[in-house]
Amino acid sequence: MPGARGPRRPGRVLTALLCAVTAAGLYGCSDSDPPEPAPTPTPTPAPTTPGPSTPAPSTPPPATTAPRAVSPFTGLPARAGPVLAVKIDNAAAARPHTGLGAADLVYVEQVEGGVTRLLAVYSSRIPDSVGPVRSARESDISLLRQFGRPALAYSGAQTKLNPLLEAAPLDLVSPADAPRAFRRSSDRPAPYNLYLRPERALAAAPDASDARPIGLRFGAAPAGGTPTASETARFPAARYTFTWSAADRGWRVAIDGRAATSTDSGPLTPATVVVQRVTIRSSGFRDVTGAVSPYTETTGSGTATVLRDGRAYEARWSRPDPAGGTSFTTPDGRPLAFAPGQVWIVLAPR
């Protein structure tokens, strides 16, 4: 049997005894078998098999688990993963939404008729379902350039816009090219019943880039600010009110006077809200009714109001490079840190 030792031969026993009484020759004696262990102050029977040669460590080994990364979108510990942007309907018939509470960032954009849609960005957490999903707009291309090459999930787009979407640095996910990433719900009528399966969407977008900094900073609140119980941002046919909730450590969202909730997580309470004042102009595209699609300019600079910790801070935003991120500073040019957590950015008309 491997590792077993047979009966000792007399010659080997005599050799071991001579070595034991000759201290000077303890380590000079040799045989073909491993040497017996040295004697100790308290005599013990010699073992038949040598013990382990390496003693157990006196202290536990250092931890080998690397710390989790910090999300550049929320300032919180998060998994490192690809970026998924989802275009979400915001008509009254589309509410309440699903999966919106898990988003890192939520952008509010104006569309035809002065109403709004949402562009939710996911990376830290991926919910089971998101929706209802609706169509993309030209403004989405410029807005998403700062994320590298994100996946964009949408229900479709008008024919003339498709070439621009296909030429953009986006991993496109629509029902036409990834039908298994979408499902129809029987709870609502079309077009308000299309939902995304985010994990399948990411599987269909293998080239989507991982989260990277887009100019946002997180940390302690800056000095100053104005105590604020609520703030309202208005569009031609929509309004958003954000009310501070100390219990939630966030701003409760109301859309057109009704509390905004997500079916899987409850009330929406972002830690930071940015009302970013931008230029909204006509684009060269129209919807199916013939209405001109607005274009929201997210490059350039302008003013903003940042809400965090129950206070409002006047700020400036700047994004000179279309491929770069957006920085937010105090009026005197110092970086303005956001509260860690979900961020809503309302792209409101100047």
Side-chain angles (χ1 to χ4, degrees):
M1 180 181 298
R5 297 180 63 181
R8 293 177 183 263
R9 295 192 299 274
R12 289 188 178 179
V13 173
L14 179 58
T15 300
L17 290 174
L18 289 172
C19 291
V21 299
T22 309
L26 274 172
Y27 298 101
C29 299
S30 63
D31 200 352
S32 59
D33 288 338
E36 299 291 335
T40 60
T42 302
T44 56
T48 57
T49 303
S53 59
T54 303
S58 58
T59 57
T64 57
T65 303
R68 298 183 72 193
V70 173
S71 168
F73 305 153
T74 67
L76 295 175
R79 72 182 190 96
V83 177
L84 170 65
V86 186
K87 198 63 182 283
I88 299 176
D89 200 346
N90 197 31
R95 306 175 205 145
H97 302 100
T98 295
L100 202 55
D104 292 334
L105 300 164
V106 178
Y107 290 93
V108 179
E109 302 174 291
Q110 183 176 322
V111 292
E112 298 81 13
V115 298
T116 60
R117 286 189 181 166
L118 308 177
L119 182 65
V121 178
Y122 300 84
S123 180
S124 302
R125 296 182 295 165
I126 304 299
D128 294 332
S129 180
V130 174
V133 180
R134 288 303 298 271
S135 55
R137 294 293 185 273
E138 184 185 7
S139 300
D140 300 328
I141 298 173
S142 175
L143 178 60
L144 291 173
R145 281 193 65 186
Q146 59 192 321
F147 293 91
R149 184 184 177 87
L152 172 62
Y154 63 112
S155 65
Q158 58 175 281
T159 303
K160 293 182 179 180
L161 182 58
N162 283 327
L164 297 181
L165 289 168
E166 292 166 1
L170 298 167
D171 234 3
L172 300 176
V173 182
S174 71
D177 49 33
R180 287 176 51 81
F182 295 84
R183 67 175 179 85
R184 289 283 181 183
S185 171
S186 60
D187 297 338
R188 297 177 182 179
Y192 311 110
N193 64 348
L194 182 65
Y195 289 83
L196 180 75
R197 296 182 171 101
E199 290 288 358
R200 293 187 181 184
L202 288 173
D207 297 326
S209 55
D210 286 349
R212 68 180 195 181
I214 58 167
L216 307 184
R217 293 173 177 262
F218 297 87
T226 303
T228 301
S230 67
E231 181 85 7
T232 297
R234 300 181 184 278
F235 293 84
R239 74 181 189 277
Y240 290 75
T241 300
F242 303 93
T243 302
W244 173 246
S245 170
D248 297 312
R249 299 298 301 170
W251 300 84
R252 291 216 168 204
V253 182
I255 303 174
D256 298 331
R258 295 188 176 183
T261 63
S262 188
T263 59
D264 52 345
S265 60
L268 299 173
T269 56
T272 302
V273 175
V274 180
V275 180
Q276 182 178 344
R277 301 175 189 93
V278 298
T279 297
I280 300 176
R281 58 173 174 79
S282 298
S283 74
F285 298 91
R286 296 176 180 270
D287 68 3
V288 292
T289 68
V292 175
S293 298
Y295 184 91
T296 299
E297 296 185 356
T298 54
T299 57
S301 61
T303 62
T305 299
V306 175
L307 307 176
R308 61 163 295 173
D309 301 314
R311 303 180 78 87
Y313 297 85
E314 291 308 309
R316 293 196 60 81
W317 66 270
S318 176
R319 187 185 172 204
D321 182 358
T326 306
S327 63
F328 293 89
T329 60
T330 60
D332 59 2
R334 290 175 296 171
L336 200 162
F338 293 178
Q342 187 184 71
V343 178
W344 277 52
I345 299 178
V346 183
L347 300 172
R350 293 185 190 271

